[in-house]
Amino acid sequence: MSLRWWELFRLDLALALFWTAISIPIAAWHARVRAQSWGALALIGAHLPMVALVAVADAAALRFVLHYIGGMTLKNPFAVTLTYYADFDVVRYVAVVAVADALLTRRALAERERLAARLEGLLVRARLDYLEAQLQPHFLFNSLGAVSELAYEAPATAARVLRQLASIFRHALTSRSDEVTLGDELLAIEPYLDIQRIRFADWLRIDYDVDEGAVDCLVPRFVLQPLVENAIRHGLTQRLAAGCIEISARRWDACDGQDGQLVVRVSDNGVGLQASRGTSGYGIGLANVRERLAMLYGSGHPLRLFSNDGGGTVAELTLPVRRRSAPSAVSPHDDAVDAAPPQAAESIAPVPVSASTASTPPRRRIHPVVTSTTVWIVCGLLWTQQSYTYLGLRNLLGTRSWLAIARSDMTVALLWAALTPLVFLATSRVPLAPRLRSWRSLAYVVGGAGLPVLHVYLVQRISSPRTPFWSVNYQSTFLLDVVIVCVLLAVGHRRQLATWLRARESATASLAVEVREIRARATRLQSIPPVLLQSLERIATVAHTEPARTEHLLSRLGDYLRVAVESSDGRGVTAAREAALAATLAELERSGGFLVNRTVSA
C-alpha cells in the first residue's frame, strides 16, 4: 500500500509526538537512578525494565497509528512488530538518555560554577576579615612602648593614652563594614593622632588638606592609621628637628569616559624614602593595606610610595570615587556573598562537591576504545539475535543459520566500533562550546550526515557488493545510523562535560578548604581585640596610682601581642602559638589580678 506524502507526514508526526511525550518519563527515570551514584552495570540494569516497557509501548503506538490514522490492515502479529523495531527503540531510548545525561551534567557544571563564584566571594570576605584582624594587634604592639615610657613620667597622660587606645579598639569591634566615608575615617583615626600628639608634643605637627567634595567618598576602613604610623616610624623618628605630617585628599571628577578618582596622600618631611629603607619593622601595615586595596578594588588601585619634592616621603592611594549609594566595582559583598552568613564556608563545602577529588587518587579507568568496542560487540550479538528471532517469526529463515546472520550484523557493529573513537576524538578536540562558531556547527552537520553514508557504504562493500548502494535494502540501516551518530555525539560531549565538571569540582573543593582555613585563622585573630580592649581598660584604672604595676602589666600585654603579631604570618595560629597565647594571657591575668572574658566575640 503506497501512501502520499501528507499521509506519511501525519504518521511520522503522530510517532514524533509519542516519542516527545515518552521522553519526559525516560529523562525523569534516568535522573532518579543517576542520583543514586550506582556503577555502570547497576545503571544499565535499572534502565532495562524501562527499555522493555518503552519498546512495548512504541510497538503498540505504531500499530495504533498505522491502523487508525494510516487506515492500514495489520496482518503481522504484535510480536513481529515488537521484534522488528526493537533495535530502533533501544537506540532512540539511549539517545534520550544521552541527551538527558548531558543536560544533567551541564546543569551540575553550572551549579559548580555558581558555587565556585560564591566561594570566591567568601574567600575575599575571609581574607579581608583576616587582614583587619591581623592589623590590630600589630598596631597596638607598636604603641605599648610609648605608653610604658609615660607610666612613670606622666601617669595621668599614660592613662589618657590607654583610654584612647581602648577607644580605637572599641571602634574596630563595633564597625564591621569594609568601607567608610573619608570623614568617618578621619574621625576614627583622631584617637591615634591624639596619642602621637601626646608622645611628641613639641616635635610633631599634623595638618589636614581635604577637599570638601572628598569627605563623603568611600575609603577602606582603618586605612590611614598604618600610613601615618609608617610616616612616623620610618620617616620622622630619625629627624633631629620637628616634623610634620599632612593628610590630604582630592577628588578628580570623571572626564574623557574615565571614572572619577579619589587621591588620598599621607606626606611627611622626614628623612626620605631611601634613608628609611633600612629601618626595622614587621612590615605588616603597608603590606596589609596593599592586599586590602587589591581585594576591594582590583590591581588598578595600588598604594604608591615616592619621595616628596620638598623632602620626605609620600604614601598615595588612588581610589575610585564611590559613595554609599553607588555599587562597588570590585567588592566581596555581591549578592552571592551577602546571601551567605559568615559561617557559609562550612555550610557550602559539603554541597555535593567531591571534596575527596583533590586527595583521593582516581580509580583505574578502562580505556574508552576498549569500552566502546565491547559495547559494539554486545550490540552485534543482540542484533543477530533480533534478526534471527524476527526471521523465525516470519518463517523467513530458510537455510540461513545463526552464524550466517551473525556475519552480517557483526560487520555492521564492528564498523561502528572502528568509527566510534573518531567521533569521540572530534568531540574532545572540537567540542560545541557555548559560543558556537559557524564553521564548527557546519562541520558537525556535515560529519553527522556523512558518517552514516560512510558506514552504509562500507557495509555494502563488505557484505553485498552486488547490491546497489542506494537500494531500499539499506534504508533502515541509514536511518538507524543517523540516530546512532546523534547518540555518539551526545555521549562524546557528555564525556567532555564530565571532564570539565571533575576539574571544576576539584577547584571548588580547594576553594572550600581555603575558605575554611582562612576563616579559622581570622576567627582566632578576631578573638584578640576583645582581650586587648578589656586589658587596656583594666590597666588604665591603675595607671594613675601604680606606675610600676602599670609598666609590668604593659610588658605582659606586650608579650601577649608579640605572639599575636607572630601569629599573623602565613603559618597562622598554630597549636604551639595558640598554647603560647594562652600562657601569656594567663600570665597577664595573674599579674593584673583580673580575669579576661575570652568568650567575647567581635
Side-chain angles (χ1 to χ4, degrees):
M1 178 180 179
S2 60
L3 296 176
R4 287 178 287 271
W5 71 267
W6 60 84
E7 295 174 329
L8 288 174
F9 175 77
R10 285 193 305 167
L11 296 177
D12 291 338
L13 179 61
L15 293 175
L17 291 175
F18 166 78
W19 271 99
T20 300
I22 206 171
S23 295
I24 298 174
I26 294 174
W29 176 249
H30 177 67
R32 182 173 181 178
V33 298
R34 186 177 184 266
Q36 304 301 320
S37 300
W38 293 334
L41 292 178
L43 193 65
I44 293 173
H47 275 294
L48 287 179
M50 180 66 81
V51 172
L53 182 62
V54 168
V56 171
D58 181 60
L62 176 63
R63 292 174 69 87
F64 177 87
V65 168
L66 291 176
H67 181 68
Y68 290 100
I69 298 179
M72 298 182 183
T73 301
L74 303 178
K75 300 178 180 180
N76 295 321
F78 182 84
V80 172
T81 305
L82 177 64
T83 305
Y84 183 79
Y85 288 100
D87 54 348
F88 280 94
D89 293 334
V90 172
V91 171
R92 283 180 288 196
Y93 185 96
V94 172
V96 174
V97 169
V99 172
D101 195 76
L103 292 176
L104 289 172
T105 305
R106 185 178 181 83
R107 183 187 303 171
L109 179 60
E111 180 63 28
R112 294 303 184 277
E113 290 175 346
R114 287 193 295 269
L115 180 59
R118 193 176 181 189
L119 284 172
E120 286 171 357
L122 287 172
L123 182 58
V124 172
R125 174 70 265 163
R127 284 174 174 167
L128 283 170
D129 288 343
Y130 173 71
L131 289 171
E132 290 181 2
Q134 179 192 51
L135 192 59
Q136 292 161 358
H138 166 77
F139 151 66
L140 183 57
F141 181 82
N142 292 336
S143 304
L144 285 184
V147 183
S148 297
E149 295 173 2
L150 294 171
Y152 284 102
E153 300 174 1
T157 303
R160 176 184 170 188
V161 171
L162 287 172
R163 290 191 177 93
Q164 292 288 50
L165 289 173
S167 175
I168 293 172
F169 278 90
R170 191 175 295 108
H171 173 76
L173 291 174
T174 56
S175 177
R176 300 305 304 163
S177 59
D178 296 324
E179 294 177 299
V180 296
T181 64
L182 179 60
D184 290 339
E185 179 67 8
L186 291 172
L187 291 175
I189 199 179
E190 190 57 34
Y192 172 76
L193 297 179
D194 190 43
I195 293 172
Q196 303 307 321
R197 293 188 188 100
I198 294 171
R199 291 179 60 195
F200 310 109
D202 300 323
W203 180 81
L204 176 64
R205 188 178 84 251
I206 299 175
D207 296 334
Y208 293 94
D209 183 14
V210 179
D211 282 352
E212 183 178 351
V215 173
D216 60 345
C217 294
L218 294 178
V219 298
R221 187 173 72 98
F222 213 55
V223 74
L224 290 180
Q225 180 271 321
L227 303 183
V228 175
E229 179 183 359
N230 185 74
I232 294 174
R233 295 191 64 206
H234 301 290
L236 298 184
T237 54
Q238 301 180 57
R239 280 178 56 91
L240 300 178
C244 175
I245 291 178
E246 181 182 78
I247 301 174
S248 62
R250 295 284 184 274
R251 190 189 74 185
W252 301 95
D253 293 329
C255 61
D256 298 331
Q258 297 181 355
D259 295 333
Q261 291 184 330
L262 174 68
V263 179
V264 180
R265 289 181 176 179
V266 176
S267 309
D268 65 69
N269 62 346
V271 297
L273 190 60
Q274 295 300 324
S276 64
R277 289 191 183 277
T279 57
S280 61
Y282 283 94
I284 291 177
L286 296 186
N288 185 292
V289 171
R290 286 191 175 96
E291 289 189 51
R292 286 198 289 153
L293 289 174
M295 290 181 190
L296 286 169
Y297 309 110
S299 59
H301 302 278
L303 166 65
R304 294 177 58 234
L305 294 178
F306 56 90
S307 297
N308 202 344
D309 293 337
T313 305
V314 178
E316 181 183 87
L317 301 173
T318 304
L319 309 175
V321 171
R322 290 210 304 270
R323 294 175 176 81
R324 284 297 182 192
S325 58
S328 173
V330 180
S331 174
H333 286 294
D334 55 12
D335 294 339
V337 181
D338 283 341
Q343 296 80 13
E346 286 75 9
S347 63
I348 286 180
V351 174
V353 172
S354 301
S356 60
T357 304
S359 57
T360 305
R363 293 180 297 176
R364 185 178 181 86
R365 299 176 63 86
I366 302 175
H367 197 279
V369 174
V370 176
T371 302
S372 63
T373 302
T374 304
V375 169
W376 281 118
I377 290 175
V378 172
C379 289
L381 296 174
L382 292 176
W383 270 331
T384 301
Q385 186 59 47
Q386 177 195 5
S387 300
Y388 186 80
T389 303
Y390 173 76
L391 293 174
L393 291 173
R394 295 288 306 274
N395 296 317
L396 299 176
L397 275 176
T399 59
R400 282 179 289 188
S401 63
W402 191 91
L403 290 177
I405 298 173
R407 280 195 295 270
S408 175
D409 289 338
M410 289 301 296
T411 298
V412 174
L414 292 177
L415 284 173
W416 272 120
L419 294 174
T420 296
L422 299 178
V423 178
F424 288 165
L425 180 63
T427 55
S428 62
R429 295 290 179 86
V430 193
L432 284 174
R435 297 180 179 178
L436 298 178
R437 295 181 178 178
S438 57
W439 68 266
R440 188 174 294 189
S441 303
L442 180 61
Y444 270 96
V445 172
V446 173
L451 204 58
V453 174
L454 174 62
H455 179 260
V456 172
Y457 174 77
L458 293 175
V459 170
Q460 184 260 345
R461 298 304 299 172
I462 295 173
S463 301
S464 53
R466 295 184 178 180
T467 305
F469 174 70
W470 295 108
S471 67
V472 72
N473 295 355
Y474 296 111
Q475 180 180 351
S476 60
T477 304
F478 182 79
L479 294 176
L480 183 63
D481 286 355
V482 171
V483 181
I484 289 175
V485 169
C486 294
V487 171
L488 293 179
L489 290 175
V491 172
H493 279 88
R494 191 271 174 195
R495 292 171 65 245
Q496 187 70 22
L497 287 172
T499 301
W500 293 339
L501 179 60
R502 285 192 295 270
R504 202 58 176 164
E505 280 183 340
S506 179
T508 305
S510 299
L511 274 176
V513 171
E514 190 174 358
V515 169
R516 287 198 300 270
E517 290 177 352
I518 292 182
R519 187 168 293 283
R521 288 163 61 181
T523 301
R524 289 178 176 179
L525 281 178
Q526 284 169 347
S527 67
I528 295 173
V531 174
L532 301 180
L533 178 60
Q534 294 181 61
S535 300
L536 289 171
E537 290 174 339
R538 299 292 179 86
I539 297 173
T541 60
V542 301
H544 287 282
T545 57
E546 303 179 59
R549 186 183 177 197
T550 299
E551 183 182 28
H552 180 70
L553 289 174
L554 290 174
S555 177
R556 299 286 74 78
L557 184 58
D559 293 338
Y560 175 78
L561 287 172
R562 186 176 293 105
V563 180
V565 171
E566 290 175 354
S567 301
S568 304
D569 61 15
R571 292 171 56 196
V573 185
T574 62
R577 288 173 172 178
E578 193 167 22
L581 280 172
T584 53
L585 182 59
E587 176 63 21
L588 175 64
E589 292 173 339
R590 187 189 64 78
S591 301
F594 57 80
L595 293 177
V596 175
N597 182 7
R598 310 185 194 197
T599 62
V600 175
S601 173

